[in-house]
Amino acid sequence: MSNPILETRSLTKIYGKNIIFKDINLKVNEGETIVIIGPSGTGKSTLLRCINLLTSNEGGQVFLDGKEITAKGYNQDEVRQHIGMVFQNFLLFNHLTALDNVMIGLLKVKKMPKAQARQKAMEELKRVGLEDRADHYPGQLSGGQQQRVAIARALAMDPSVMLFDEPTSALDPELIGEVLGVMAQLARDRMTMLVVTHEMGFAREVADRIVFMEKGSVVEEGSPDDLFYHPKHDRTREFLWKITELYGKKEKKRVQKNDRLF
Amino acid sequence: MTAFFEFFVRFLPDMLKGAGVTVLLTAEGLAAGFVLGLLASLARTYGNKFWRGVAVSYIELFRGTPLLMQLFLIYYGLPGLGVTFSRELSAFLALGLNSGAYQAEYLRGSILAIGDGQMMAGRSIGMSRIKTIWHIILPQALRLAIPAWSNEPVSLLKSTAVVFLIAVPELMAKAKSIAAQTYDPIGTYLAVALVYLAMVYLLDAVLRWIERATRIPGFEMEGRKA
Ligand SMILES: Nc1ncnc2c1ncn2[C@@H]1O[C@H](COP(=O)(O)OP(=O)(O)O)[C@@H](O)[C@H]1O
Ligand SMILES: [Mg+2]
């Protein structure tokens, strides 16, 4: 069971003279959902970008399926196919329909025949509940729908792990639930996920482990119960208290509206 | 008025012949300039230090000096270095190189407006930089560039007038010979002005059509909605 799909060892990122994060050791086992929380500016986004090699590192290693992908000469474009990424601001390809957004990686990267790619893309859109929006352009979709298409686009590549960078923080409150719902379903389907989010309801219900990061290092890591009810560090307690205060109100409103957490 | 009308009709075939050359020079210059401009804008945006330097030098050199000087340098200057081009080829080179420098800047503007996000998204599904540029960035950047870029064909069409100075038989050259023949410079240049206006009008109509035809539903020029 303890079979890490994704592992970072002493991963370090430096911009100029700024150490963004240092010596980050993370293990994500197969089928696990790990939630990363932490104040803004802590390096969470940079960490995700470092993991899928969208930015260089200044030390340490990343392993995917037991292979070191940060090794010199490793084919980085090839690696990224196996790491799905969902961005805070969706970043759909604006000139392509929802279906084409999901298909383009299959066609241009995986070189899949068109009919097969179309079928696979439709299945992924179905998975996020958007098969009836296949021919809509991103500009014709709500934020929540765009983010679900972005999830389908990443899933279409059959990644070993999915990275989410605050996937709901650019959304209107009433649209957050539909995205979290899709992510919770993925977790139930045992997709391996690393999720940066401020959605504490999601973290509590869905995460196998929560990692609290602050100022470029991991302060504490443990099960949702441990972190929420028995935090080892005052900083963890303070952050959770603040974040629940800050986001809890929005969440409560949503719960009343939708009659469920997400 | 009727006198002018008769004058216009009498020299229309001659002017149209010249206008044909003008249109051809514009089309060729625009096409060559597009290829050069695209390469220069990509080199300037995505190239390493060397290619950025090459692109910037090219763009600044050709935007920073008069077209007429560039034309004379090519037609009268290069033979001194042992390179001789025909009038037509010199005109084509000067217009293409000059237009390319302007088109590079229009295209670069829209490539920058598309932003790093689309590049990151393309790469996140395993596309290489080149593939992302080709399949993701350029299709959007080219559409986004159209409104501003539309100045270039019109501006280039009018700029072609300078090549009459190396005796390429385009519309202005025809005008000069008609004026000399009729001793009526006012009538001649008014008539020629009308022909230029008609060409610009048609060109504008074509450009507006292209802009409409390439519109992306829901994707407005004001930028993308979140
Ligand atoms: N391209 C960059 N160049 C320099 N500094 C950067 C760059 N990207 C991010 N940073 C810095 O890295 C720090 C962490 O940013 P980020 O990873 O976005 O944090 P988080 O996602 O936790 O809010 C910030 O202080 C930010 O200013
Ligand atoms: Mg962030």
Side-chain angles (χ1 to χ4, degrees):
Chain A
M1 186 59 227
S2 178
N3 172 21
I5 292 276
L6 180 73
E7 185 177 355
T8 69
R9 286 190 202 154
S10 307
L11 197 60
T12 300
K13 176 71 191 179
I14 300 169
Y15 276 125
K17 282 185 184 160
N18 288 343
I19 300 177
I20 307 300
F21 53 78
K22 199 166 161 17
D23 291 330
I24 300 287
N25 297 296
L26 280 180
K27 260 190 199 157
V28 189
N29 295 322
E30 188 162 6
E32 263 188 330
T33 296
I34 308 295
V35 163
I36 301 180
I37 59 175
S40 113
T42 283
K44 305 180 301 292
S45 299
T46 310
L47 176 62
L48 293 191
R49 281 205 288 269
C50 229
I51 287 174
N52 77 347
L53 312 179
L54 283 172
T55 184
S56 62
N57 64 65
E58 273 63 52
Q61 300 152 301
V62 180
F63 294 84
L64 184 71
D65 284 323
K67 289 186 281 283
E68 193 202 334
I69 60 176
T70 40
K72 260 212 169 72
Y74 213 86
N75 184 343
Q76 303 196 343
D77 292 331
E78 208 278 328
V79 167
R80 270 189 227 99
Q81 292 180 44
H82 307 294
I83 306 180
M85 178 102 174
V86 174
F87 302 91
Q88 184 171 346
N89 45 351
F90 329 137
L91 298 181
L92 286 183
F93 306 132
N94 292 300
H95 63 306
L96 299 177
T97 62
L99 184 67
D100 287 334
N101 263 278
V102 183
M103 260 173 80
I104 193 162
L106 299 173
L107 293 175
K108 306 300 178 194
V109 178
K110 287 205 190 258
K111 310 276 183 206
M112 201 181 264
K114 198 156 183 183
Q116 194 188 341
R118 169 177 291 270
Q119 193 186 349
K120 167 106 173 117
M122 266 327 268
E123 276 162 26
E124 299 301 346
L125 282 179
K126 225 173 262 169
R127 201 161 158 188
V128 299
L130 286 173
E131 67 272 30
D132 60 333
R133 293 284 186 278
D135 57 354
H136 284 52
Y137 285 86
Q140 300 171 312
L141 297 172
S142 74
Q145 292 170 335
Q146 288 188 55
Q147 192 60 299
R148 282 147 69 199
V149 173
I151 293 173
R153 172 177 74 183
L155 287 174
M157 303 304 286
D158 287 328
S160 309
V161 56
M162 288 277 286
L163 312 179
F164 293 83
D165 188 7
E166 299 198 36
T168 58
S169 46
L171 293 175
D172 291 336
E174 71 270 22
L175 300 178
I176 293 177
E178 64 188 57
V179 173
L180 293 181
V182 166
M183 290 167 61
Q185 184 57 48
L186 283 180
R188 281 193 291 275
D189 295 344
R190 307 306 288 161
M191 169 57 79
T192 309
M193 307 203 284
L194 186 57
V195 182
V196 174
T197 186
H198 293 303
E199 292 292 330
M200 290 303 128
F202 177 85
R204 213 162 22 207
E205 301 292 319
V206 180
D208 295 294
R209 267 182 300 139
I210 299 179
V211 175
F212 172 50
M213 254 179 94
E214 195 182 51
K215 298 203 185 95
S217 41
V218 172
V219 175
E220 187 168 347
E221 172 176 354
S223 72
D225 275 357
D226 286 346
L227 259 83
F228 276 99
Y229 303 114
H230 322 284
K232 286 197 211 77
H233 296 266
D234 288 343
R235 278 146 71 198
T236 314
R237 190 197 319 275
E238 277 162 32
F239 177 76
L240 282 171
W241 186 82
K242 252 198 307 208
I243 208 80
T244 313
E245 184 71 3
L246 206 65
Y247 287 81
K249 283 184 198 132
K250 263 202 274 176
E251 198 174 292
K252 213 185 266 163
K253 235 195 242 156
R254 214 167 60 233
V255 172
Q256 284 162 355
K257 216 168 170 171
N258 299 345
D259 239 346
R260 57 184 190 135
L261 206 46
F262 43 77
Chain B
M1 195 63 212
T2 46
F4 177 72
F5 183 73
E6 274 164 24
F7 181 96
F8 188 83
V9 170
R10 182 172 148 220
F11 288 103
L12 188 60
D14 227 17
M15 290 192 295
L16 285 183
K17 227 184 265 163
V21 176
T22 294
V23 168
L24 190 68
L25 283 169
T26 306
E28 288 173 350
L30 201 63
F34 180 74
V35 174
L36 278 173
L38 191 58
L39 291 174
S41 64
L42 290 175
R44 188 163 181 182
T45 319
Y46 298 113
N48 59 22
K49 219 171 176 162
F50 172 76
W51 287 113
R52 277 205 310 274
V54 170
V56 171
S57 312
Y58 159 63
I59 292 166
E60 296 307 321
L61 194 66
F62 281 88
R63 283 171 75 238
T65 56
L67 171 60
L68 186 56
M69 189 226 79
Q70 295 158 17
L71 180 70
F72 279 12
L73 191 65
I74 290 170
Y75 185 66
Y76 296 117
L78 287 185
L81 302 174
V83 187
T84 307
F85 295 122
S86 69
R87 301 169 197 289
E88 281 75 15
L89 191 55
S90 299
F92 166 71
L93 286 175
L95 291 168
L97 283 164
N98 185 269
S99 179
Y102 285 94
Q103 294 191 52
E105 288 301 87
Y106 289 126
L107 295 173
R108 188 170 74 98
S110 64
I111 287 172
L112 291 178
I114 295 300
D116 302 341
Q118 292 285 311
M119 175 62 89
M120 205 156 58
R123 305 213 66 194
S124 79
I125 55 170
M127 285 193 188
S128 62
R129 261 162 78 87
I130 303 273
K131 265 191 193 166
T132 309
I133 290 170
W134 186 252
H135 294 295
I136 306 297
I137 311 273
L138 282 183
Q140 295 180 62
L142 292 179
R143 284 169 167 99
L144 197 63
I146 291 173
W149 177 86
S150 293
N151 292 314
E152 181 55 20
V154 173
S155 157
L156 184 64
L157 184 132
K158 291 181 291 181
S159 297
T160 56
V162 304
V163 308
F164 100 92
L165 286 167
I166 59 168
V168 175
E170 45 68 71
L171 186 53
M172 265 316 277
K174 292 286 183 212
K176 195 146 180 273
S177 81
I178 294 169
Q181 191 184 327
T182 58
Y183 300 104
D184 182 2
I186 293 184
T188 305
Y189 292 114
L190 279 179
V192 165
L194 285 179
V195 177
Y196 272 113
L197 279 172
M199 286 194 291
V200 169
Y201 180 83
L202 286 176
L203 190 54
D204 265 332
V206 170
L207 290 167
R208 273 199 308 273
W209 176 82
I210 292 175
E211 196 177 330
R212 270 199 313 275
T214 57
R215 211 185 134 261
I216 304 167
F219 181 67
E220 307 303 340
M221 289 303 126
E222 294 86 78
R224 285 129 284 168
K225 312 181 272 191

